[in-house]
Amino acid sequence: MSYRMGDPVHTPTIRCPKPGCDLLLINDEACGCTWPAEPDPDPLLGQALVAFDMSGKRIAAGTVTAVDRTDGRIDLTVEQCP
């Protein structure tokens, strides 16, 4: 749908949903703005993991499904394999 200059437009105003952009979208066309890209996934995601206790006994084995790197720590969530 398109409109001539000066014609009233009876559609709701649509703004770009990207944070920090807020430009009006004309005829539902993308605004072409740039914003910081999503961060790359953590390289540990999807990796195989085998954990051992101090005596060498295996306590967990599986695939890393989530990584939380805060305060100099790394917390891993592992989906265990049988």
Side-chain angles (χ1 to χ4, degrees), residues 3 5-6 9 12-13 15 23 38 41 53 68:
Y3 302 96
M5 188 82 119
V9 177
T13 303
R15 293 199 175 269
L23 292 173
E38 292 291 321
D53 66 8
D68 181 22

Side-chain angles (χ1 to χ4, degrees), residues 4 6 17 31 33 35-36 39 46 49 62 68 74-75 80:
R4 291 183 309 171
C31 65
C33 67
W35 73 98
L49 174 88
D68 181 22
I74 298 177
D75 294 321
Q80 289 197 14

Side-chain angles (χ1 to χ4, degrees), residues 63-75:
T63 304
V64 177
T65 58
V67 179
D68 181 22
R69 295 175 185 255
T70 53
D71 300 328
R73 293 176 32 162
I74 298 177
D75 294 321

